[in-house]
PDB file of all heavy atoms in Angstrom:
ATOM      1  N   TRP B 121       4.229 -40.042  49.922  1.00  0.00           N
ATOM      2  CA  TRP B 121       4.843 -39.432  48.750  1.00  0.00           C
ATOM      3  C   TRP B 121       3.900 -39.452  47.559  1.00  0.00           C
ATOM      4  O   TRP B 121       3.126 -40.381  47.387  1.00  0.00           O
ATOM      5  CB  TRP B 121       6.130 -40.189  48.385  1.00  0.00           C
ATOM      6  CG  TRP B 121       7.151 -40.102  49.458  1.00  0.00           C
ATOM      7  CD1 TRP B 121       7.283 -40.951  50.513  1.00  0.00           C
ATOM      8  CD2 TRP B 121       8.164 -39.114  49.606  1.00  0.00           C
ATOM      9  NE1 TRP B 121       8.316 -40.543  51.308  1.00  0.00           N
ATOM     10  CE2 TRP B 121       8.885 -39.423  50.778  1.00  0.00           C
ATOM     11  CE3 TRP B 121       8.545 -38.002  48.858  1.00  0.00           C
ATOM     12  CZ2 TRP B 121       9.949 -38.660  51.217  1.00  0.00           C
ATOM     13  CZ3 TRP B 121       9.602 -37.247  49.293  1.00  0.00           C
ATOM     14  CH2 TRP B 121      10.302 -37.575  50.467  1.00  0.00           C
ATOM     15  N   PHE B 148      13.359 -44.742  44.243  1.00  0.00           N
ATOM     16  CA  PHE B 148      12.709 -43.870  43.264  1.00  0.00           C
ATOM     17  C   PHE B 148      13.362 -44.174  41.935  1.00  0.00           C
ATOM     18  O   PHE B 148      14.554 -43.909  41.758  1.00  0.00           O
ATOM     19  CB  PHE B 148      12.933 -42.421  43.698  1.00  0.00           C
ATOM     20  CG  PHE B 148      12.505 -41.367  42.710  1.00  0.00           C
ATOM     21  CD1 PHE B 148      11.319 -41.482  42.013  1.00  0.00           C
ATOM     22  CD2 PHE B 148      13.288 -40.249  42.509  1.00  0.00           C
ATOM     23  CE1 PHE B 148      10.929 -40.510  41.128  1.00  0.00           C
ATOM     24  CE2 PHE B 148      12.897 -39.263  41.624  1.00  0.00           C
ATOM     25  CZ  PHE B 148      11.717 -39.399  40.926  1.00  0.00           C
ATOM     26  N   CYS B 168      10.862 -36.145  36.347  1.00  0.00           N
ATOM     27  CA  CYS B 168      10.241 -37.093  37.263  1.00  0.00           C
ATOM     28  C   CYS B 168      10.409 -36.516  38.654  1.00  0.00           C
ATOM     29  O   CYS B 168      11.432 -35.906  38.944  1.00  0.00           O
ATOM     30  CB  CYS B 168      10.908 -38.455  37.205  1.00  0.00           C
ATOM     31  SG  CYS B 168      10.829 -39.194  35.603  1.00  0.00           S
ATOM     32  N   ASN B 169       9.432 -36.707  39.481  1.00  0.00           N
ATOM     33  CA  ASN B 169       9.454 -36.004  40.762  1.00  0.00           C
ATOM     34  C   ASN B 169       8.738 -36.814  41.826  1.00  0.00           C
ATOM     35  O   ASN B 169       7.760 -37.500  41.543  1.00  0.00           O
ATOM     36  CB  ASN B 169       8.774 -34.633  40.542  1.00  0.00           C
ATOM     37  CG  ASN B 169       8.483 -33.904  41.814  1.00  0.00           C
ATOM     38  OD1 ASN B 169       7.466 -34.143  42.448  1.00  0.00           O
ATOM     39  ND2 ASN B 169       9.362 -33.030  42.204  1.00  0.00           N
ATOM     40  N   ILE B 170       9.246 -36.762  43.050  1.00  0.00           N
ATOM     41  CA  ILE B 170       8.470 -37.236  44.191  1.00  0.00           C
ATOM     42  C   ILE B 170       8.333 -36.077  45.167  1.00  0.00           C
ATOM     43  O   ILE B 170       9.276 -35.336  45.395  1.00  0.00           O
ATOM     44  CB  ILE B 170       9.079 -38.462  44.896  1.00  0.00           C
ATOM     45  CG1 ILE B 170      10.555 -38.269  45.167  1.00  0.00           C
ATOM     46  CG2 ILE B 170       8.821 -39.731  44.133  1.00  0.00           C
ATOM     47  CD1 ILE B 170      11.142 -39.340  46.034  1.00  0.00           C
ATOM     48  N   THR B 171       7.147 -35.933  45.707  1.00  0.00           N
ATOM     49  CA  THR B 171       6.856 -34.856  46.647  1.00  0.00           C
ATOM     50  C   THR B 171       6.099 -35.449  47.831  1.00  0.00           C
ATOM     51  O   THR B 171       5.313 -36.381  47.660  1.00  0.00           O
ATOM     52  CB  THR B 171       5.984 -33.776  45.994  1.00  0.00           C
ATOM     53  OG1 THR B 171       6.451 -33.544  44.682  1.00  0.00           O
ATOM     54  CG2 THR B 171       6.026 -32.498  46.759  1.00  0.00           C
ATOM     55  N   LEU B 195      20.380 -36.165  54.072  1.00  0.00           N
ATOM     56  CA  LEU B 195      19.818 -37.259  53.297  1.00  0.00           C
ATOM     57  C   LEU B 195      20.796 -38.423  53.314  1.00  0.00           C
ATOM     58  O   LEU B 195      22.008 -38.215  53.212  1.00  0.00           O
ATOM     59  CB  LEU B 195      19.581 -36.858  51.845  1.00  0.00           C
ATOM     60  CG  LEU B 195      18.521 -35.830  51.529  1.00  0.00           C
ATOM     61  CD1 LEU B 195      19.174 -34.564  51.057  1.00  0.00           C
ATOM     62  CD2 LEU B 195      17.604 -36.340  50.462  1.00  0.00           C
ATOM     63  N   ILE B 197      21.398 -41.446  51.035  1.00  0.00           N
ATOM     64  CA  ILE B 197      20.906 -41.917  49.745  1.00  0.00           C
ATOM     65  C   ILE B 197      21.955 -42.774  49.053  1.00  0.00           C
ATOM     66  O   ILE B 197      23.126 -42.812  49.447  1.00  0.00           O
ATOM     67  CB  ILE B 197      20.556 -40.741  48.806  1.00  0.00           C
ATOM     68  CG1 ILE B 197      21.726 -39.768  48.743  1.00  0.00           C
ATOM     69  CG2 ILE B 197      19.307 -40.040  49.226  1.00  0.00           C
ATOM     70  CD1 ILE B 197      21.787 -38.990  47.514  1.00  0.00           C
ATOM     71  N   TYR B 204      20.203 -34.711  40.785  1.00  0.00           N
ATOM     72  CA  TYR B 204      18.807 -34.500  41.151  1.00  0.00           C
ATOM     73  C   TYR B 204      18.632 -33.093  41.728  1.00  0.00           C
ATOM     74  O   TYR B 204      19.602 -32.415  42.024  1.00  0.00           O
ATOM     75  CB  TYR B 204      18.362 -35.533  42.178  1.00  0.00           C
ATOM     76  CG  TYR B 204      18.397 -36.942  41.662  1.00  0.00           C
ATOM     77  CD1 TYR B 204      19.580 -37.665  41.611  1.00  0.00           C
ATOM     78  CD2 TYR B 204      17.244 -37.566  41.200  1.00  0.00           C
ATOM     79  CE1 TYR B 204      19.625 -38.946  41.118  1.00  0.00           C
ATOM     80  CE2 TYR B 204      17.281 -38.859  40.713  1.00  0.00           C
ATOM     81  CZ  TYR B 204      18.473 -39.542  40.671  1.00  0.00           C
ATOM     82  OH  TYR B 204      18.512 -40.818  40.175  1.00  0.00           O
ATOM     83  N   THR B 205      17.403 -32.700  41.918  1.00  0.00           N
ATOM     84  CA  THR B 205      17.118 -31.410  42.521  1.00  0.00           C
ATOM     85  C   THR B 205      16.306 -31.619  43.785  1.00  0.00           C
ATOM     86  O   THR B 205      15.379 -32.427  43.790  1.00  0.00           O
ATOM     87  CB  THR B 205      16.293 -30.533  41.563  1.00  0.00           C
ATOM     88  OG1 THR B 205      16.760 -30.735  40.247  1.00  0.00           O
ATOM     89  CG2 THR B 205      16.424 -29.089  41.912  1.00  0.00           C
ATOM     90  N   LEU B 206      16.652 -30.908  44.835  1.00  0.00           N
ATOM     91  CA  LEU B 206      15.859 -30.945  46.056  1.00  0.00           C
ATOM     92  C   LEU B 206      14.953 -29.720  46.058  1.00  0.00           C
ATOM     93  O   LEU B 206      15.414 -28.610  45.801  1.00  0.00           O
ATOM     94  CB  LEU B 206      16.771 -30.912  47.280  1.00  0.00           C
ATOM     95  CG  LEU B 206      17.807 -32.016  47.362  1.00  0.00           C
ATOM     96  CD1 LEU B 206      18.729 -31.754  48.523  1.00  0.00           C
ATOM     97  CD2 LEU B 206      17.145 -33.354  47.534  1.00  0.00           C
ATOM     98  N   ASN B 207      13.703 -29.920  46.325  1.00  0.00           N
ATOM     99  CA  ASN B 207      12.762 -28.805  46.307  1.00  0.00           C
ATOM    100  C   ASN B 207      12.107 -28.683  47.676  1.00  0.00           C
ATOM    101  O   ASN B 207      11.587 -29.658  48.190  1.00  0.00           O
ATOM    102  CB  ASN B 207      11.649 -29.026  45.284  1.00  0.00           C
ATOM    103  CG  ASN B 207      12.151 -29.634  44.017  1.00  0.00           C
ATOM    104  OD1 ASN B 207      13.162 -29.211  43.484  1.00  0.00           O
ATOM    105  ND2 ASN B 207      11.473 -30.649  43.532  1.00  0.00           N
ATOM    106  N   LEU B 226      21.362 -31.945  44.047  1.00  0.00           N
ATOM    107  CA  LEU B 226      21.847 -33.118  44.752  1.00  0.00           C
ATOM    108  C   LEU B 226      22.659 -33.942  43.756  1.00  0.00           C
ATOM    109  O   LEU B 226      22.096 -34.533  42.835  1.00  0.00           O
ATOM    110  CB  LEU B 226      20.667 -33.936  45.285  1.00  0.00           C
ATOM    111  CG  LEU B 226      20.959 -35.312  45.845  1.00  0.00           C
ATOM    112  CD1 LEU B 226      21.689 -35.189  47.163  1.00  0.00           C
ATOM    113  CD2 LEU B 226      19.685 -36.078  46.070  1.00  0.00           C
ATOM    114  N   PHE B 267       8.214 -31.179  50.643  1.00  0.00           N
ATOM    115  CA  PHE B 267       9.596 -31.440  50.275  1.00  0.00           C
ATOM    116  C   PHE B 267       9.573 -32.410  49.106  1.00  0.00           C
ATOM    117  O   PHE B 267       8.757 -33.327  49.082  1.00  0.00           O
ATOM    118  CB  PHE B 267      10.363 -32.049  51.453  1.00  0.00           C
ATOM    119  CG  PHE B 267      11.731 -32.523  51.088  1.00  0.00           C
ATOM    120  CD1 PHE B 267      12.756 -31.612  50.938  1.00  0.00           C
ATOM    121  CD2 PHE B 267      11.982 -33.860  50.847  1.00  0.00           C
ATOM    122  CE1 PHE B 267      14.012 -32.039  50.577  1.00  0.00           C
ATOM    123  CE2 PHE B 267      13.241 -34.287  50.491  1.00  0.00           C
ATOM    124  CZ  PHE B 267      14.259 -33.375  50.352  1.00  0.00           C
ATOM    125  N   GLY B 268      10.447 -32.176  48.146  1.00  0.00           N
ATOM    126  CA  GLY B 268      10.435 -33.065  46.993  1.00  0.00           C
ATOM    127  C   GLY B 268      11.810 -33.279  46.408  1.00  0.00           C
ATOM    128  O   GLY B 268      12.736 -32.495  46.651  1.00  0.00           O
ATOM    129  N   ILE B 269      11.937 -34.357  45.673  1.00  0.00           N
ATOM    130  CA  ILE B 269      13.162 -34.624  44.939  1.00  0.00           C
ATOM    131  C   ILE B 269      12.759 -34.804  43.489  1.00  0.00           C
ATOM    132  O   ILE B 269      11.828 -35.569  43.200  1.00  0.00           O
ATOM    133  CB  ILE B 269      13.861 -35.899  45.448  1.00  0.00           C
ATOM    134  CG1 ILE B 269      14.183 -35.776  46.921  1.00  0.00           C
ATOM    135  CG2 ILE B 269      15.127 -36.174  44.651  1.00  0.00           C
ATOM    136  CD1 ILE B 269      14.674 -37.048  47.526  1.00  0.00           C
ATOM    137  N   SER B 270      13.421 -34.096  42.594  1.00  0.00           N
ATOM    138  CA  SER B 270      13.041 -34.290  41.198  1.00  0.00           C
ATOM    139  C   SER B 270      14.268 -34.482  40.333  1.00  0.00           C
ATOM    140  O   SER B 270      15.378 -34.114  40.711  1.00  0.00           O
ATOM    141  CB  SER B 270      12.199 -33.129  40.696  1.00  0.00           C
ATOM    142  OG  SER B 270      12.883 -31.938  40.891  1.00  0.00           O
ATOM    143  N   LEU B 271      14.021 -35.080  39.199  1.00  0.00           N
ATOM    144  CA  LEU B 271      15.087 -35.333  38.238  1.00  0.00           C
ATOM    145  C   LEU B 271      14.678 -34.692  36.935  1.00  0.00           C
ATOM    146  O   LEU B 271      13.569 -34.908  36.452  1.00  0.00           O
ATOM    147  CB  LEU B 271      15.286 -36.842  38.052  1.00  0.00           C
ATOM    148  CG  LEU B 271      16.281 -37.224  36.977  1.00  0.00           C
ATOM    149  CD1 LEU B 271      17.679 -37.018  37.468  1.00  0.00           C
ATOM    150  CD2 LEU B 271      16.107 -38.664  36.567  1.00  0.00           C
ATOM    151  N   LEU B 281      17.240 -43.948  42.446  1.00  0.00           N
ATOM    152  CA  LEU B 281      17.727 -43.256  43.640  1.00  0.00           C
ATOM    153  C   LEU B 281      17.161 -43.978  44.848  1.00  0.00           C
ATOM    154  O   LEU B 281      15.951 -44.081  45.013  1.00  0.00           O
ATOM    155  CB  LEU B 281      17.275 -41.796  43.638  1.00  0.00           C
ATOM    156  CG  LEU B 281      17.698 -40.962  44.832  1.00  0.00           C
ATOM    157  CD1 LEU B 281      19.177 -40.662  44.758  1.00  0.00           C
ATOM    158  CD2 LEU B 281      16.929 -39.668  44.896  1.00  0.00           C
ATOM    159  N   ILE B 283      16.629 -44.202  48.761  1.00  0.00           N
ATOM    160  CA  ILE B 283      16.580 -43.257  49.883  1.00  0.00           C
ATOM    161  C   ILE B 283      16.381 -44.041  51.160  1.00  0.00           C
ATOM    162  O   ILE B 283      15.461 -44.855  51.259  1.00  0.00           O
ATOM    163  CB  ILE B 283      15.425 -42.248  49.712  1.00  0.00           C
ATOM    164  CG1 ILE B 283      15.517 -41.552  48.360  1.00  0.00           C
ATOM    165  CG2 ILE B 283      15.449 -41.215  50.816  1.00  0.00           C
ATOM    166  CD1 ILE B 283      14.240 -40.884  47.957  1.00  0.00           C
ATOM    167  N   ILE B 286      15.336 -39.027  55.246  1.00  0.00           N
ATOM    168  CA  ILE B 286      15.543 -37.598  55.043  1.00  0.00           C
ATOM    169  C   ILE B 286      15.366 -36.957  56.412  1.00  0.00           C
ATOM    170  O   ILE B 286      14.335 -37.159  57.053  1.00  0.00           O
ATOM    171  CB  ILE B 286      14.540 -37.029  54.035  1.00  0.00           C
ATOM    172  CG1 ILE B 286      14.799 -37.636  52.656  1.00  0.00           C
ATOM    173  CG2 ILE B 286      14.630 -35.528  53.960  1.00  0.00           C
ATOM    174  CD1 ILE B 286      13.585 -37.746  51.834  1.00  0.00           C
TER     175      ILE B 286
END
Side-chain angles (χ1 to χ4, degrees):
Chain B
W121 297 89
F148 172 42
C168 300
N169 169 276
I170 48 171
T171 318
L195 292 111
I197 51 154
Y204 297 81
T205 321
L206 303 173
N207 320 314
L226 170 71
F267 172 78
I269 302 171
S270 56
L271 175 76
L281 179 73
I283 306 163
I286 294 150

